[in-house]
Amino acid sequence: MGKLWGGRFSGELDAHMKRFNDSITFDVRLWQADIRGSIAYAQALARAGVITRAECRRLVKGLRQVYAEFAEDRFAIQPTDEDIHTAVERRLKELVGEVAGKLHTGRSRNDQVATDTRLFCLDAIRDMRRALWDVQAALLAQARDHVHTLMPGYTHLQRAQPITFGHWCLSYFWQLARDDERLQDCARRTSVLPLGSGALAGTPFAISRRALARALGFKQVSQNSLDAVSDRDFIAELLFVAALIGVHLSRLAEDLIVYSTAEFGFVQFDDAYATGSSLMPQKKNPDAMELTRGKSARLIGNLTRLLVVLKGLPMAYNKDLQEDKEPLFDTVDTVLLTLSVVAGAVRTLQVNAARMRAALDPAMLATDVAEHLVRCGVPFREAHHLSGKAVALAEARGVRIDQLSLADWLSISPHFDERVMEVFRFERSVSSRDAEGGTSPRALQAQLRSAERWLRRARRSVGS
Ligand code: ARG
């Protein structure tokens, strides 16, 4: 059989040009979406009276056979198969004969590929959301176990104020929660049917695009045929959300890499998520986290790749758009694998609460000293200054700030009295940060409940 578009051509495609042009090596991944779309399209053609019921039955039966061949891994791709669309149609013709030629009535590969890709993305979004929730569930479980586990909180990677490890865990939970909401939002704009737009100008056949949308599970029908065949915004959005997930996971990974060093010793990775060195027997390397950090580069790169493809494209379809699929597939595979590894690494993470606590330094309570003075009526700016003096005095003496004597404190300011000693209890500091969203165990319990509610609701929304 000749090419789909062979009519006006007499010469053969140059061999390199053929390899350049073919996309079957990667878009074969769209087989399921492509066949689903074709079955629905055959039925729409029959409803519109363009083909007979009997023809429709033969087409659908043939398409189901092609589907089975793919599902059972016995579909044989032929050298003439340019892309997944031509491959399916070529096989269909072998199975059902000339009637196969009626399937493409009023349809173009332009509206077909846009439809297939949207179906693929909708499935990918569902899978990504599930994978995100698994990471969130792992963070939530760790947070529940560490409501009272104190550790230094950092800014500029310098010890800043005491926090709880549970609070740290949930800080990543909420980042991922926003990503999940972005995915949901992205799904709304992806769930728009392009089929029925033809090559660019629409179809002259009376197919019901609404019915077609319902059959394929799309929430809406595209409003403009030019836009429908050339729009890849939905992919760009998906790649952006995936890139942002990558950035969030990369930051989480970086924290855990630092926390797992001998110098910190806050956490240890399970053997299932670390590797050894071929040279140095003592080493346990946090490869899972390093790769997580590294993979984010691919996710960001794939987004950039697509945006550059889209930039400057004239209306409507251009073959450049075929370059949308490899970044899409790579991103979906990368983000799903990364999420599942991160979920496991977090779930099995061993936390060394004693090491975390030992890293607390009374100087991290200097802010609490200032807050203590504020409660005694001193304006915060002055209190901050006086507390700074105490830090400097301790440093000059070579002692810890909590080792200053009452006389020392009084030498700094008459506002101080023996109650300042009370300030130097880390638990007190943490539990004082009790406003909603703070690190106190009580506030954290409330935060945990709201995170649990969030996760329950998200999971219920897709009925998993
Ligand atoms: N393989 C093509 C793609 O991925 C399908 C659409 C081809 N359309 C065309 N007018 N040549 O974009």
Side-chain angles (χ1 to χ4, degrees):
M1 188 182 87
K3 285 182 201 70
L4 262 185
W5 37 266
R8 62 127 39 237
F9 288 81
S10 46
E12 278 298 307
L13 214 52
D14 167 81
H16 287 121
M17 171 54 193
K18 179 168 163 31
R19 199 147 65 86
F20 199 51
N21 186 55
D22 286 356
S23 54
I24 187 74
T25 49
F26 50 89
D27 68 16
V28 64
R29 259 185 97 155
L30 295 175
W31 68 268
Q32 214 159 358
D34 196 71
I35 298 172
R36 264 176 73 197
S38 284
I39 290 175
Y41 194 66
Q43 288 160 345
L45 287 174
R47 268 196 305 268
V50 178
I51 60 173
T52 66
R53 292 273 153 206
E55 286 171 331
C56 176
R57 272 195 299 275
R58 279 171 58 204
L59 287 174
V60 171
K61 187 163 171 249
L63 285 164
R64 292 209 172 114
Q65 259 173 279
V66 181
Y67 192 100
E69 288 180 9
F70 270 109
E72 292 155 21
D73 214 12
R74 52 188 175 81
F75 185 95
I77 291 170
Q78 300 302 321
T80 50
D81 293 341
E82 182 180 324
D83 54 24
I84 183 60
H85 325 293
T86 55
V88 170
E89 197 176 324
R90 187 262 310 152
R91 183 64 187 137
L92 182 64
K93 189 171 174 196
E94 289 168 5
L95 291 170
V96 304
E98 287 306 324
V99 66
K102 294 200 171 188
L103 177 61
H104 214 52
T105 313
R107 187 173 71 167
S108 157
R109 278 183 295 161
N110 299 352
D111 56 349
Q112 189 179 359
V113 72
T115 303
D116 292 2
T117 310
R118 283 175 185 267
L119 287 171
F120 176 89
C121 285
L122 287 169
D123 283 350
I125 288 173
R126 192 204 47 215
D127 295 345
M128 281 165 67
R129 294 189 64 196
R130 296 214 164 106
L132 265 177
W133 301 336
D134 287 346
V135 177
Q136 290 180 287
L139 287 165
L140 201 52
Q142 288 285 4
R144 263 190 225 109
D145 286 350
H146 295 285
V147 172
H148 296 280
T149 304
L150 300 195
M151 69 180 274
Y154 297 86
T155 60
H156 314 267
L157 207 50
Q158 308 289 317
R159 283 185 281 202
Q161 292 186 313
I163 58 168
T164 64
F165 183 63
H167 198 52
W168 175 92
C169 290
L170 290 192
S171 71
Y172 284 99
F173 178 97
W174 296 115
Q175 295 182 41
L176 300 179
R178 291 192 295 275
D179 293 333
D180 184 71
E181 287 162 13
R182 284 184 191 97
L183 283 175
Q184 243 182 303
D185 191 47
C186 173
R188 211 161 48 79
R189 278 180 296 279
T190 305
S191 192
V192 179
L193 175 83
L195 204 55
S197 298
L200 75 162
T203 178
F205 300 100
I207 57 166
S208 164
R209 298 190 61 219
R210 295 275 160 94
L212 201 45
R214 269 195 302 280
L216 288 170
F218 284 103
K219 296 231 164 70
Q220 291 175 63
V221 166
S222 59
Q223 295 296 304
N224 179 301
S225 59
L226 295 172
D227 181 36
V229 295
S230 65
D231 169 30
R232 296 294 184 273
D233 294 357
F234 63 101
I235 308 180
E237 285 189 44
L238 185 54
L239 296 193
F240 168 71
V241 181
L244 193 59
I245 291 171
V247 168
H248 291 153
L249 297 181
S250 178
R251 294 183 62 182
L252 171 83
E254 173 62 13
D255 269 358
L256 292 178
I257 289 168
V258 171
Y259 295 166
S260 72
T261 58
E263 286 75 6
F264 276 76
F266 290 180
V267 298
Q268 213 186 350
F269 290 106
D270 191 86
D271 284 357
Y273 296 96
T275 62
S277 158
S278 57
L279 181 75
M280 299 163 283
Q282 86 284 8
K283 297 222 37 208
K284 185 168 180 183
N285 296 327
D287 295 39
M289 295 298 108
E290 291 168 318
L291 283 168
T292 295
R293 204 171 49 185
K295 299 278 185 198
S296 64
R298 281 166 82 132
L299 299 173
I300 295 166
N302 287 338
L303 169 63
T304 308
R305 243 165 109 180
L306 181 70
L307 290 175
V308 179
V309 166
L310 297 180
K311 180 195 147 317
L313 280 192
M315 196 55 82
Y317 178 85
N318 302 267
K319 197 60 171 271
D320 316 39
L321 290 173
Q322 184 164 284
E323 289 293 311
D324 62 356
K325 283 167 212 67
E326 286 160 295
L328 170 63
F329 297 155
D330 184 63
T331 278
V332 171
D333 292 343
T334 302
V335 84
L336 287 176
L337 190 56
T338 307
L339 284 165
S340 76
V341 168
V342 171
V346 171
R347 200 182 314 115
T348 57
L349 192 71
Q350 293 145 42
V351 176
N352 190 334
R355 285 294 299 254
M356 287 182 173
R357 193 180 169 98
L360 295 172
D361 171 353
M364 297 173 70
L365 299 174
T367 311
D368 298 68
V369 170
E371 287 159 358
H372 165 73
L373 286 180
V374 165
R375 289 203 183 86
C376 304
V378 182
F380 180 75
R381 276 295 146 230
E382 190 188 341
H384 182 279
H385 181 77
L386 294 173
S387 174
K389 292 240 169 241
V391 173
L393 180 62
E395 235 172 61
R397 290 267 173 77
V399 297
R400 294 197 323 248
I401 190 173
D402 60 330
Q403 291 169 331
L404 291 176
S405 67
L406 186 56
D408 293 331
W409 288 104
L410 286 168
S411 77
I412 296 166
S413 163
H415 292 297
F416 285 115
D417 55 35
E418 67 285 342
R419 283 176 307 168
V420 72
M421 302 304 171
E422 294 293 297
V423 169
F424 294 104
R425 288 186 358 244
F426 298 116
E427 272 77 9
R428 194 214 57 88
S429 168
V430 164
S431 55
S432 74
R433 311 209 178 270
D434 201 30
E436 201 176 334
T439 195
S440 84
R442 209 183 61 96
L444 182 54
Q445 293 288 6
Q447 192 187 159
L448 272 168
R449 280 193 297 278
S450 118
E452 279 157 4
R453 219 177 305 123
W454 185 96
L455 194 56
R456 253 198 321 274
R457 224 177 263 154
R459 284 188 154 144
R460 217 185 301 126
S461 74
V462 300
S464 72

